[in-house]
Amino acid sequence: MKLSIFSIMSIFFMLNPAWGFTLNNTVAAYFPGNDIPVNVAAHTCTNLGVSNQDLLEMVDEAVNNYWNKAPNSRLRLRKGSLTSVAAAFQTEPGCTSNNGSCTPNPNLIVTGGILISCNIDTGTPANFSAGVMAVTIPNNIQGRNINGSLILLNDKLDNSFKSKSHDEQVAILAHEIGHGIGLGHSPVEDSLMYYASIPTRRSLGWDDLDGLAYLYPTGQPFTGCGSLSTNHDEQNSSGGPGAFLATLALGMVLALVFTKRRAFWH
Ligand SMILES: [Zn+2]
């Protein structure tokens, strides 16, 4: 049996199916600015087990330990401030209907940035059951621009956020912030945007990076007319260091393939 390099690659991709990040809205909306504050509502959290100031400090960890570490994104999230908001942010549900898709509550529109608010959800039907730690909605979208996103933390008596470790709480906030910037869930457990909280989570996964790069690609600085140096072409054609390394790499790959063929098919 002869196996070509193409066959080997095909088997590799069959064993490693392509995963995909998802978005949480149908228009692929994103924050148009690069510098997005994450504020915390100033009212007291009743049952969450942490203070508002604690939450604000956790926001700092959530953005800097996760999203701001991505090298492939123009987005820079930052800890905002304690912000006074209407009482509705503490009591009303984020969605007035939530049967598969959310109809944002018009009383809770966030004017700018991301707002985190403790919420006891007195709505009918309630958005929160004990296992739901938060509801996040980019609830101020114009065209493809997100102007504001709302994160409501389940502050009911039976919330499960309060029993998590500090690091897991930070990861939960980072996950919700991910929804706030436009990302949906990933099917990959390795990703922060996986639908369930993983207690040992400490970093972004590939899907998170892919989704971030899709919504917030880095831009190349524009330095004038695009040009291509002839030196680069000459270096490759005349066998400079680049050509040498490429030849060396190709040789190693071919040697590896040849060795494997001998080992497995002879
Ligand atoms: Zn989620």
Side-chain angles (χ1 to χ4, degrees):
M1 181 176 68
K2 288 211 163 194
L3 284 184
S4 65
I5 292 176
F6 178 77
S7 304
I8 296 170
M9 289 177 67
S10 300
I11 293 169
F12 175 81
F13 285 117
M14 277 192 291
L15 294 174
N16 296 273
W19 302 107
F21 60 88
T22 64
L23 306 173
N24 67 2
N25 59 84
T26 56
V27 297
Y30 54 84
F31 278 101
N34 292 348
D35 175 46
I36 306 300
V38 182
N39 301 304
V40 174
H43 57 248
T44 304
C45 301
T46 310
N47 299 302
L48 208 61
V50 294
S51 71
N52 299 36
Q53 190 62 45
D54 292 337
L55 278 177
L56 200 56
E57 298 309 320
M58 278 192 256
V59 163
D60 200 38
E61 292 183 67
V63 297
N64 289 322
N65 293 353
Y66 290 88
W67 300 112
N68 288 350
K69 278 196 169 169
N72 59 343
S73 160
R74 66 172 174 78
L75 188 66
R76 284 297 171 264
L77 296 155
R78 64 177 164 84
K79 179 179 85 170
S81 57
L82 294 180
T83 305
S84 293
V85 294
F89 283 86
Q90 190 170 14
T91 56
E92 296 190 13
C95 306
T96 52
S97 74
N98 200 8
N99 49 356
S101 68
C102 169
T103 303
N105 183 339
N107 297 333
L108 306 184
I109 300 301
V110 177
T111 52
I114 297 173
L115 175 72
I116 298 176
S117 176
C118 293
N119 184 277
I120 55 173
D121 187 6
T122 56
T124 308
N127 287 183
F128 290 136
S129 57
V132 176
M133 287 180 279
V135 168
T136 298
I137 321 124
N139 67 3
N140 184 353
I141 295 180
Q142 286 179 307
R144 284 191 64 193
N145 287 351
I146 301 176
N147 296 323
S149 286
L150 176 65
I151 297 173
L152 294 181
L153 294 178
N154 183 349
D155 194 27
K156 297 173 93 165
L157 187 59
D158 59 356
N159 80 78
S160 48
F161 184 89
K162 64 186 176 190
S163 63
K164 306 295 184 187
S165 70
H166 173 83
D167 287 341
E168 189 174 359
Q169 289 178 340
V170 169
I172 291 165
L173 291 181
H175 174 100
E176 298 306 326
I177 290 169
H179 286 317
I181 60 176
L183 293 171
H185 283 148
S186 163
V188 187
E189 196 171 314
D190 175 51
S191 299
L192 174 67
M193 295 315 294
Y194 187 61
Y195 73 91
S197 177
I198 306 290
T200 54
R201 171 101 55 222
R202 298 293 180 270
S203 60
L204 295 177
W206 284 112
D207 259 9
D208 308 314
L209 294 169
D210 285 349
L212 201 59
Y214 177 77
L215 289 177
Y216 301 94
T218 51
Q220 293 290 329
F222 184 69
T223 55
C225 295
S227 62
L228 183 65
S229 167
T230 53
N231 290 337
H232 179 76
D233 290 341
E234 284 168 4
Q235 189 178 52
N236 279 345
S237 61
S238 64
F244 171 74
L245 288 174
T247 306
L248 182 64
L250 180 63
M252 290 174 70
V253 168
L254 289 175
L256 184 65
V257 169
F258 182 71
T259 307
K260 296 258 183 205
R261 286 176 62 115
R262 285 182 63 86
F264 289 110
W265 295 299
H266 286 268

